[in-house]
Amino acid sequence: MTASDPISRIGRFFAWSAAVLVLGPLPVLLAVSTSPNWQRGPWVGGFTLRWLIEAWERIAPIVSFSVQLALIVLLIDFLIGLPASWVLARRNFRGRQLLLSLTILPVAVPGIAVGLGLILAYPTLKAGGWLLIVGHILYTLPFVIGSLTPTLADAKLREQETAAETLGANSLQRLLFVTLPQLRRTLTAAAVMVFTLSMGEFNVSFFLFTPNQKPLPVELYSGYITGRLEVAAAATVWFLLLVIPAAVLIERLGGSRLRGQA
Amino acid sequence: MTRASLGLEEVTFAYHQQLVVQNITLDVEPGELVVIVGPSGCGKSTLLRLVAGLLMPQQGRVLIDGSDTRHVPPHMRRVGWVPQSYALFDHLNVAENILFGLRMQKASKSKRAARLQEMLELCRISELAHRSISSLSGGQRQRVAVARALAVDPQLLLLDEPLAALDPQLRQAIRSDLEELLRSSGVTTLFVTHDQSEALALADRVAVLRAGQLEQFDTPEQLWDAPASRFVAEFVSGAAVVQAQRLDAQQVEIIPGLVTLLPGDTASVTLALRPVDLEVAAHGAELPVVSCEYSGGIYAITCRLPDGKALRLYHHARAVIGEKVPVALKPGRKVVTLPV
């Protein structure tokens, strides 16, 4: 297909439109957070870093909590997700398809419903912050299982493991020297995905947070409701600075994997 | 290099109640190169997996150097297995692939270095040692896979269609290289292929499999000259199997117009007409041509026999499809008779 054919031209137009639509809010957020008073217009009265500094002071402790939460969720996701994916990929048992569908279900259910369900089912766990962790795991675990299962089921990987076995590798050696190195890219992509999803998760968090354990997106929401628009925008800028590198990393890992398969 | 014998004793394996390998018995001598040949789905690769311990026979025994392997897991068998895909570890370079088995055995650094050098030289891939797997050609990958399997000094080497993934133009040259490498290593080898010409060219002995059963286990010459069954004759030499009728104590009529000397007293006899035994000659039986393919200096002609079967032969000139050609036995050729 040449660059000048009509289908390419239309495709390029929509691709750029989508990019503009997604990126559109970013310059506005930057303008709001660096203007002394957005109601009077952008940069009327000069350029200021005051809101960005104020926002950082306000969200710094919450960022730390959100990062800790995301890392705990990541660890538990991998502890559950690796063996679960292995069984789903390598064992044929009654109910396998049902189990596969169930692992995807939390993604399809609205976060509010998941949050509400957890509160109703385990009311005593909310105070300790455990429900928040469980809610994030329910939301992110399907992405771990969804990416690891097809990789573990891959015939090429299984044949490499068999070759390693005939070369004298026991099951632990096969896991350490063949399976995990071959999964490295998928594991990294899944880790970045879980981290960014947990950092940005709002719906489940909104129902399950406690005043001492407030994730960043909930704090951003509070900022918009109760505080100055400029501070809320500045806090959002900081949030994006945290998650955009992770999103770029996901794209790079995914992209190079696709190129490797071509 | 270790040279071990291999014995299969009435080995049977079923998958989902379907018999894949049935009652196979064969003995492979130390250092022998045995080719297992048969059409797709005949159980060749399954047989290799049974020898490697990747599958367990439901009946029968696999003996390596006389010892029953029933309780020996694959990683303890010292059996090198090279699948069709080669299964190279693409997160490691060539040298790291070759040393993988020795690393698992926790061999000393000096032993690993010496063995790497030995394998690189044996397989003539010294210049590839530090290359990534993705940068190698098909033939180079095959050599690395064989080097990796041989590096652990296996008792047996199992090669599952090692030439199938290569370009047809390269296959002939790489086959010769591979044979030279296997002969110089001296390892007892089972080599699986679906290509009968590959089997005849490489093997000390050939095991012909059909639907999980061993049809014949013999030298290439014996397979060619004394096929044990109709299937072996058709599969190995591309023969047309016909029922000839006895004319008298000395002669049989193969088809109307084609008579040969074959003393005996049975009323009919089963014959295998191999392409190399036939020629286009004026005194032959007139048969219609159904196809004519040029294969470099010679034409492969397929004719239709009166019973509808195809008969192949070679001729120096092109034949016209639809017209008849006179087909005769080459002078002095003895026709191959098949057991009843």
Side-chain angles (χ1 to χ4, degrees):
Chain A
M1 199 174 287
T2 62
S4 59
D5 75 53
I7 292 176
S8 283
R9 278 206 303 275
I10 293 167
R12 220 168 34 238
F13 169 76
F14 280 109
W16 277 109
S17 304
V20 168
L21 200 66
V22 170
L23 296 172
L26 292 180
V28 179
L29 276 172
L30 273 175
V32 176
S33 59
T34 53
S35 299
N37 188 338
W38 182 251
Q39 298 247 308
R40 295 197 344 239
W43 302 296
V44 174
F47 174 88
T48 180
L49 291 176
R50 184 184 150 197
W51 310 124
L52 282 166
I53 294 165
E54 199 173 304
W56 179 250
E57 282 166 356
R58 191 170 155 183
I59 65 165
I62 296 159
V63 167
S64 161
F65 172 73
S66 265
V67 169
Q68 283 176 46
L69 175 65
L71 291 176
I72 292 170
V73 168
L74 177 61
L75 180 70
I76 300 174
D77 269 4
F78 275 10
L79 286 175
I80 301 171
L82 257 171
S85 306
W86 194 90
V87 168
L88 287 167
R90 303 286 174 94
R91 291 281 178 269
N92 212 352
F93 53 91
R94 192 186 292 269
R96 181 177 165 273
Q97 273 306 325
L98 180 70
L99 202 60
L100 261 174
S101 310
L102 282 176
T103 58
I104 306 296
L105 198 61
V107 180
V109 175
I112 292 169
V114 173
L116 195 62
L118 284 172
I119 286 178
L120 292 173
Y122 314 106
T124 52
L125 290 179
K126 187 185 173 187
W130 294 107
L131 272 194
L132 194 59
I133 295 175
V134 173
H136 277 227
I137 290 170
L138 274 179
Y139 180 56
T140 53
L141 188 58
F143 293 95
V144 174
I145 293 177
S147 56
L148 284 179
T149 305
T151 313
L152 280 166
D154 183 44
K156 184 181 145 202
L157 172 62
R158 300 183 71 168
E159 203 150 71
Q160 287 183 357
E161 289 171 357
T162 307
E165 193 175 4
T166 62
L167 290 165
N170 60 34
S171 48
L172 181 65
Q173 288 174 319
R174 294 199 294 276
L175 177 72
L176 293 177
F177 300 119
V178 179
T179 315
L180 288 178
Q182 287 289 329
L183 286 181
R184 195 183 53 201
R185 196 176 286 281
T186 310
L187 284 172
T188 312
V192 176
M193 176 91 80
V194 167
F195 186 81
T196 48
L197 283 173
S198 173
M199 288 289 289
E201 207 294 320
F202 176 74
N203 292 345
V204 176
S205 304
F206 187 70
F207 264 78
L208 303 177
F209 82 94
T210 62
N212 295 329
Q213 291 145 336
K214 196 188 276 187
L216 195 48
V218 177
E219 175 59 25
L220 294 181
Y221 175 72
S222 310
Y224 279 114
I225 297 297
T226 59
R228 274 194 78 114
L229 179 68
E230 292 82 356
V231 179
T236 309
V237 169
W238 285 118
F239 176 76
L240 290 174
L241 284 176
L242 283 170
V243 295
I244 284 177
V248 170
L249 190 59
I250 290 179
E251 195 285 323
R252 286 187 68 89
L253 287 169
S256 56
R257 196 166 64 173
L258 287 176
R259 279 192 292 279
Q261 284 166 352
Chain B
M1 191 64 68
T2 314
R3 290 170 172 232
S5 65
L6 168 71
L8 300 182
E9 285 182 359
E10 298 178 352
V11 170
T12 296
F13 178 78
Y15 184 72
H16 288 310
Q17 273 95 47
Q18 179 101 27
L19 278 169
V20 185
V21 167
Q22 293 183 54
N23 214 22
I24 287 189
T25 297
L26 54 88
D27 285 300
V28 180
E29 300 294 325
E32 200 175 10
L33 171 50
V34 166
V35 175
I36 303 170
V37 69
S40 296
C42 71
K44 311 181 291 280
S45 298
T46 304
L47 200 61
L48 281 199
R49 285 176 168 265
L50 287 164
V51 173
L54 302 168
L55 298 170
M56 289 304 288
Q58 275 103 11
Q59 283 172 40
R61 300 196 300 167
V62 175
L63 305 160
I64 297 178
D65 238 6
S67 305
D68 190 349
T69 58
R70 185 178 307 274
H71 302 295
V72 186
H75 70 277
M76 307 285 277
R77 282 200 187 192
R78 289 183 54 217
V79 167
W81 176 69
V82 180
Q84 191 177 330
S85 69
Y86 309 137
L88 293 170
F89 308 126
D90 42 20
H91 59 286
L92 303 177
N93 69 20
V94 168
E96 289 164 338
N97 263 275
I98 295 172
L99 288 175
F100 185 87
L102 292 176
R103 201 170 133 216
M104 297 303 106
Q105 292 172 5
K106 300 188 172 64
S108 69
K109 218 172 178 178
S110 57
K111 185 182 174 188
R112 279 190 275 170
R115 195 71 180 146
L116 175 64
Q117 207 51 42
E118 203 182 328
M119 286 302 109
L120 290 171
E121 282 168 20
L122 177 72
C123 300
R124 288 188 273 134
I125 46 173
S126 299
E127 72 286 1
L128 306 177
H130 301 291
R131 292 261 295 271
S132 70
I133 297 303
S134 60
S135 70
L136 304 181
S137 70
Q140 289 170 333
R141 280 171 199 235
Q142 184 210 64
R143 290 183 155 266
V144 175
V146 172
R148 184 181 68 175
L150 290 176
V152 292
D153 191 16
Q155 301 189 86
L156 295 170
L157 182 63
L158 311 176
L159 302 171
D160 194 351
E161 304 246 15
L163 301 166
L166 303 173
D167 290 340
Q169 301 94 313
L170 291 174
R171 205 172 292 159
Q172 178 71 47
I174 290 175
R175 183 171 87 189
S176 307
D177 280 354
L178 180 61
E179 186 186 7
E180 189 190 337
L181 165 60
L182 295 174
R183 300 283 180 198
S184 56
S185 79
V187 68
T188 312
T189 304
L190 283 190
F191 183 114
V192 157
T193 179
H194 62 271
D195 182 340
Q196 73 283 10
S197 61
E198 210 164 277
L200 296 176
L202 286 173
D204 293 321
R205 283 191 291 169
V206 181
V208 183
L209 251 61
R210 179 200 187 194
Q213 290 180 309
L214 186 63
E215 288 272 320
Q216 191 170 357
F217 181 41
D218 233 320
T219 61
E221 293 80 3
Q222 279 295 104
L223 281 185
W224 187 262
D225 290 327
S229 67
R230 167 190 287 258
F231 173 78
V232 174
E234 288 172 342
F235 186 76
V236 173
S237 61
V241 176
V242 295
Q243 206 65 30
Q245 302 304 318
R246 181 156 299 284
L247 296 176
D248 54 41
Q250 296 301 316
Q251 295 187 102
V252 293
E253 184 185 56
I254 299 170
I255 50 173
L258 191 59
V259 173
T260 187
L261 275 174
L262 195 66
D265 53 10
T266 50
S268 75
V269 58
T270 310
L271 300 179
L273 299 175
R274 300 174 304 189
V276 292
D277 296 330
L278 302 166
E279 64 177 357
V280 175
H283 59 280
E286 294 283 332
L287 295 173
V289 175
V290 292
S291 80
C292 179
E293 295 168 359
Y294 184 63
S295 55
I298 201 150
Y299 293 87
I301 300 171
T302 305
C303 296
R304 183 78 60 215
L305 288 169
D307 64 0
K309 282 192 195 122
L311 178 79
R312 275 171 74 84
L313 70 155
Y314 301 109
H315 187 49
H316 58 82
R318 184 179 287 279
V320 180
I321 295 171
E323 288 187 3
K324 289 188 172 180
V325 290
V327 176
L329 286 167
K330 284 182 183 168
R333 290 278 181 168
K334 186 170 161 273
V335 288
V336 175
T337 55
L338 292 174
V340 180

